[in-house]
Amino acid sequence: MVSVLVVEDDYVQRKNLVEMICESDKNLDIYEAQSMQEALKISKETYINFFYIDIMLKDSSGLNLASELRKMEIYKFTWIIFITTHVKYMLQAFKEIHCYDYIIKPYKKEEIIETTRFLVSGKYRYSIKENENKYVVFILQDSISVKLDVDEIFFIEVNLRKVTLHTKKGKYQPKKMSLAKALTIINSDYILQSHKSFAVNVKLIDKIESISTKLWKVSFVNYKEKALLSYKFKDAVAEILTKSI
């Protein structure tokens, strides 16, 4: 049986949320907590498949609770859905906690049911070994945040000190970003620096063609634009490329 833990310090709101979750699947095993300590106690005594956590708890922050859960090996990659009235905390949540999603108060029953059914279905599962950081968030030039699936990033390009993320959804230019910082945020074993101005997703490489004795052109599956691979980085890229084949 799939188990869910709802952490919300407001009794009425917690009961409303539990009722909505129950509508999505009558067979769920739902646990309730009103504080960080109570939530941690339940999580240690019973395995929880996913969490709904209010960002603002009376005795602590939902982010602090999530951080403590992430320190426990069994919850290192468990999906967490934050409940909040404060969207400003969500960038921190995606970057530091790697949460699945967030829901804005007041709750919309349809959103709760849809999210719960999706998680219960198991369609969210992915290989932890292949990609430990499923989603990342970047702040764009106009201060709008974009949430990206790491697997959808073809490559990262630096031109005139501006970083461009080439993805399956389009191109994005994060604000105040360097190539090194972008790679740190993404934190994927499969996205590697290939040139002083490029980093590539090795899993999406279609072919590598020689330009000169120390420079190669990298093509990607179903994407027209190219990246560069220099002699300095070719061995590291080749090693991961070989493992991914």
Side-chain angles (χ1 to χ4, degrees), residues 3-4 29-30 45 74 77 80-81 95 122 137 146 164 226 237:
S3 58
V4 185
D29 198 0
I30 304 176
E45 294 174 350
I74 59 172
F77 303 104
I80 293 173
I81 304 96
K95 286 176 63 177
V137 174
V146 60
T164 300
K226 319 291 184 185
V237 171

Side-chain angles (χ1 to χ4, degrees), residues 44 52 185 194:
K44 291 174 182 177
Y52 280 96
I185 292 173
S194 61

Side-chain angles (χ1 to χ4, degrees), residues 17-241:
L17 180 55
V18 168
E19 187 176 326
M20 292 176 192
I21 294 172
C22 281
E23 284 194 43
S24 68
D25 191 325
K26 301 295 184 183
N27 295 317
L28 290 175
D29 198 0
I30 304 176
Y31 295 84
E32 301 177 41
Q34 62 179 349
S35 68
M36 176 174 169
Q37 294 306 317
E38 188 178 359
L40 289 174
K41 184 176 185 295
I42 293 171
S43 301
K44 291 174 182 177
E45 294 174 350
T46 305
Y47 177 72
I48 303 297
N49 292 96
F50 57 92
F51 298 83
Y52 280 96
I53 300 177
D54 188 8
I55 283 283
M56 304 299 291
L57 299 172
K58 289 179 181 177
D59 68 332
S60 183
S61 157
L63 291 173
N64 290 340
L65 168 58
S67 293
E68 290 302 311
L69 290 170
R70 288 291 186 240
K71 293 176 184 178
M72 301 165 65
E73 191 64 30
I74 59 172
Y75 298 125
K76 195 172 182 182
F77 303 104
T78 302
W79 286 121
I80 293 173
I81 304 96
F82 282 113
I83 303 159
T84 183
T85 55
H86 304 279
V87 181
K88 64 181 180 179
Y89 294 116
M90 287 305 99
L91 178 59
Q92 180 184 357
F94 281 119
K95 286 176 63 177
E96 297 181 8
I97 309 300
H98 310 310
C99 69
Y100 166 70
D101 208 343
Y102 65 90
I103 291 172
I104 304 295
K105 291 183 180 181
Y107 315 126
K108 292 181 180 178
K109 188 198 310 192
E110 297 79 10
E111 186 177 7
I112 297 292
I113 291 175
E114 181 182 358
T115 299
T116 304
R117 284 178 177 170
F118 179 71
L119 291 172
V120 171
S121 73
K123 294 177 182 178
Y124 63 89
R125 294 191 180 98
Y126 60 93
S127 171
I128 290 172
K129 291 183 179 179
E130 288 186 354
N131 184 11
E132 295 182 352
N133 230 10
K134 185 65 175 180
Y135 294 101
V136 290
V137 174
F138 288 92
I139 299 177
L140 305 182
Q141 299 293 345
D142 52 0
S143 297
I144 296 175
S145 296
V146 60
K147 176 184 174 184
L148 297 174
D149 185 326
V150 169
D151 285 339
E152 294 185 338
I153 300 172
F154 288 109
F155 66 94
I156 308 166
E157 178 183 10
V158 180
N159 186 23
L160 300 177
R161 296 186 179 181
K162 287 187 178 181
V163 166
T164 300
L165 304 172
H166 293 257
T167 80
K168 293 181 180 180
K169 294 180 179 178
K171 298 180 186 178
Y172 300 96
Q173 289 191 328
K175 185 178 181 181
K176 296 181 180 179
M177 187 64 56
S178 65
L179 182 59
K181 186 175 180 180
L183 287 171
T184 298
I185 292 173
I186 293 170
N187 189 28
S188 169
D189 291 337
Y190 287 90
I191 298 185
L192 307 175
Q193 186 166 358
S194 61
H195 181 275
K196 66 178 181 180
S197 300
F198 291 88
V200 299
N201 186 338
V202 176
K203 292 197 293 184
L204 297 180
I205 290 177
D206 184 29
K207 60 182 177 180
I208 299 174
E209 301 172 279
S210 176
I211 297 175
S212 67
T213 56
K214 293 189 177 183
L215 191 64
W216 293 263
K217 178 172 60 177
V218 182
S219 301
F220 301 87
V221 179
N222 298 323
Y223 194 62
K224 293 182 178 180
E225 298 201 31
K226 319 291 184 185
L228 293 177
L229 172 64
S230 66
Y231 185 84
K232 178 180 178 181
F233 299 99
K234 77 176 183 66
D235 289 341
V237 171
E239 181 181 355
I240 300 300
L241 183 60

